[in-house]
Structures are given as C-alpha cells and as structure tokens.
Amino acid sequence: MKDREPTIRSRQLGAGLRKVMHRAGLNGSQAARKLGWVDSTVSRLLNGKRGGDVVEVSAFLAICGVVGEEREYYLQLAREVAKEGWFQQHGSRLPKQLTTLIDHEDLATSIVDFQPMIMPGVLQTAEYARALLMGMGTLPEEEIDGRVAARMARKGLFGRSPQAQFTFFIHEFALMLRVGGNEVMSGQLHQLLRDAVRPYVTLRVIPRTAGVHAGIAGAFMLMEFTDFKPVAYLESQTASIFLEKAEEIAAYRLVLTRLAEKALDEGQSKERIANLAVERYS
C-alpha cells in the first residue's frame, strides 16, 4: 500500500496503537511476526504514513488485547483516518484530547502562540495558573491541582532535543489583566522576562494602543513540522479544534503576519513587560 501524507487522525491513531502495543509487552518486530506482516508495515502504520483501515487496525488491536470502548475509539479513527482537521468535544472536564495537543507540540519544529487575554500556557507560573483556574469559577476545586500539574508539565517543551523555536504574541491586555494579587502578577511578568532570554524563544507584545488587530477573533497556535503539514490549534471552554487544510493554514499565517506588523519588537516588548511589573504590580 502506498504511503500517504499523515493527517491529525492518522498520527493520533499511530500514537495510540504504539501505546497499546507497548502495554501488551510487544515491540514492532514482535507485532509484525504475530500479524504475518513485514516490520516496515507496522512502522508505517505507527507513524501514520500508511494502512490504518478498519481490518488492519482491528487485527492489530486483537493481538494487543484491546477490547470495548477503547477498541471502538481506535476503529473510529481508522474509519476517518483520511479526513483533514479534527473537532474534539470534551465538555468541562480535563480533556483526554489534551494528549493530541501534547503529541503535536512534542513533534513541532516551530510553535507560534497568540494570546489576547491570558498568558500562553507554557509560559504560565504555577501560581498564575492556579489563580487563573480558580478565578474562572467553572471547575470543581478537586480538579484544579490536576490542571495546574498538566500545564506545568508542558514546560518540558523547553528542555527537549531537538529544540523547537517558539514565538509568542501576547496582547498588552493579558499583561494588565490582574490574575491573583500583585505578587502573582509580578512573579508572572518576571518569568516572562526570564523565558524571553532563551535563544529559542521570541516574545512580542501587541500594545493596547494598536487598536483593532488581525487576531481579534481569539487565541490560536500554529505548529510547523518536518514530516507533515502544519496544524493550527484553537481551544474553547468545551472543545478543541485542529485545522490542517491549506487554506486554513494560509489564513492563520496571514493573521500572524499582520500581528507582527503591529507588535513591539523584542527589546521594546521586554521593556514594556518590565515597566508593567514595576509600575503596576510592585
């Protein structure tokens, strides 16, 4: 079977099949022998480049002992494996679909994150994240610790190899929105300044004086990869959307181009953050 360009669903399917294979105590060669396949067939299935029809996936799940709802989840991915984009509805609880975002962040060579009202998740301090989640008032108290821990775990992106390049566009409103008290905000702004000196991080502030801007519709993330198409990620209170069609990616690239035209440069951005930390939160 000819290799195809991976989609979000095929990559998620491959990652899931790799997880259940390891859980069953198998490696790729052992799985191939059990199925009567060559090793490369399993390899391409697990990296999303080929196969993945219902028959193949059903056979793979069988040797891994996967049954019930988990089996149906992977079979549904197999049925829709060629579709581009992915709308994931998760309600108010910590979404299992967060793993889809984390998997893509781990593979990205470039991540551009625009935030109009709050700090980008990977730049948040634990104190800011906790105050933000508690202040929203929409989560059960017993879920707060898990959410904060999950957000802090994403900081591991800054220590991986090879290292991705990060660009953050943060609107000045996000710097001015008081989350927690002065101590929390001072700590958060000083953390931004520490992160901004990392060689792989570009941080730019969109000043409030810029007025209407291209990102007025809301926050988003654009991730670039070596082996497959770019992905744009949007998140709401109850759903996540992954976009990968060429026209969708072009639209978000244009938004970023226009934001760059209005944003302060890196030096000016650091100065604005430092001034706010002193004048507003000291």
Side-chain angles (χ1 to χ4, degrees), residues 114 213-219:
F114 166 63
H213 54 83
I216 201 74

Side-chain angles (χ1 to χ4, degrees), residues 25 48 60 71 78 143 149 178 221 254 259-260 262 271:
F60 194 95
R71 177 178 181 274
E143 288 189 19
R178 192 178 299 274
M221 184 186 299
L254 179 59
L259 288 175
K262 291 203 171 188
E271 185 177 357

Side-chain angles (χ1 to χ4, degrees), residues 241-260:
I241 304 174
F242 296 84
L243 305 172
E244 56 185 336
K245 291 181 179 178
E247 60 270 25
E248 295 167 335
I249 299 303
Y252 281 99
R253 281 183 172 151
L254 179 59
V255 171
L256 291 173
T257 297
R258 295 293 177 258
L259 288 175

Side-chain angles (χ1 to χ4, degrees), residues 18-19 26 97 146 156 183 206 245 256 273:
R18 187 179 298 109
K19 179 186 71 176
L26 300 172
Q97 291 87 342
E183 185 176 355
I206 300 164
K245 291 181 179 178
L256 291 173
I273 293 168

Side-chain angles (χ1 to χ4, degrees), residues 2 6 11 18 25 81 83 90 94 103 113-114 118 120 136 146 148 162-163 179 208 259 274:
K2 184 179 179 180
R11 293 192 294 274
R18 187 179 298 109
V81 77
K83 289 185 178 180
H90 50 67
L94 186 64
D103 288 345
D113 192 346
F114 166 63
I118 63 172
M136 289 167 59
V148 172
Q163 184 61 64
V179 176
R208 62 185 186 277
L259 288 175

